[in-house]
Amino acid sequence: MLKSYLTVFFVSMVPLIELRGAIPIATALSLMPPERPAQIVLTYAICILGNMIPVPIIYLFARKFLEWGQDKKIIGKICTFFLVKGKKGGEKLQKKAGRGLFFALFLFVGIPLPGTGAWTGTLAASLLDMNFKETVIACVLGVLLAGIIMLTLSMGVFGAVQSIQ
């Protein structure tokens, strides 16, 4: 059981997969049986925690690393790519959101689509010089929303599969 919890915890930390992949994995590993709500809450909390641990690190260090690495021989092109892409995406988001940047970040992180999530949202927020506290709060709320959506979808899909068997 501990091995399964550690698996979903670490999967929640992986970029692009994050909690969006960890919750279906947890459901498949039978960590979220519908008849045990306390276990569902525990697993959900583990996924949230795993997804949120990288957020402050990304906010505080990713931009600095990318700026430092943009003129390095081996990593320069990829660092420049991420800086330019992040800046353009952030500016586009800021134009559309205006004063609602916090809400836009919350929705960006919270709606579980490919390429969205806490990693990408935090990097965009740091490139936009968004306030650290607002970034973390928007990401927490977004991850909670994404978790609820994924939990609902996972329980529905796996519940339907189990009822067929």
Side-chain angles (χ1 to χ4, degrees):
M1 189 78 122
L2 178 62
K3 184 179 175 183
S4 296
Y5 282 124
L6 287 173
T7 299
V8 296
F9 177 76
F10 288 117
V11 167
S12 293
M13 289 183 170
V14 176
L16 299 176
I17 298 173
E18 300 182 34
L19 159 127
R20 293 148 171 75
I23 287 181
I25 289 170
T27 307
L29 292 173
S30 300
L31 291 176
M32 298 180 138
E35 65 277 0
R36 301 195 58 201
Q39 192 171 342
I40 292 171
V41 171
L42 174 64
T43 306
Y44 175 77
I46 289 170
C47 291
I48 298 294
L49 182 63
N51 200 174
M52 287 306 300
I53 284 177
V55 167
I57 297 164
I58 294 165
Y59 183 89
L60 296 171
F61 300 110
R63 180 179 181 174
K64 291 175 182 163
F65 173 78
L66 293 173
E67 288 171 348
W68 169 82
Q70 68 183 345
D71 61 349
K72 304 298 183 256
K73 186 175 181 179
I74 296 174
I75 60 171
K77 288 183 181 178
I78 191 83
C79 288
T80 301
F81 170 78
F82 282 120
L83 280 170
V84 169
K85 186 86 167 162
K87 193 105 172 147
K88 283 182 183 175
E91 288 170 355
K92 188 185 288 185
L93 180 66
Q94 198 166 25
K95 281 181 186 174
K96 287 183 180 179
R99 289 184 152 179
L101 191 57
F102 174 88
F103 189 69
L105 180 61
F106 157 69
L107 288 178
F108 180 82
V109 173
I111 298 175
L113 295 171
T116 67
W119 279 74
T120 311
T122 304
L123 181 59
S126 74
L127 292 173
L128 289 171
D129 293 319
M130 197 171 159
N131 177 287
F132 177 77
K133 185 177 176 181
E134 285 184 357
T135 299
V136 171
I137 292 170
C139 284
V140 167
L141 294 174
V143 167
L144 289 170
L145 175 62
I148 290 168
I149 292 169
M150 291 308 300
L151 182 61
T152 304
L153 292 172
S154 294
M155 299 291 279
V157 169
F158 284 104
V161 169
Q162 287 174 351
S163 68
I164 293 172
Q165 295 176 346

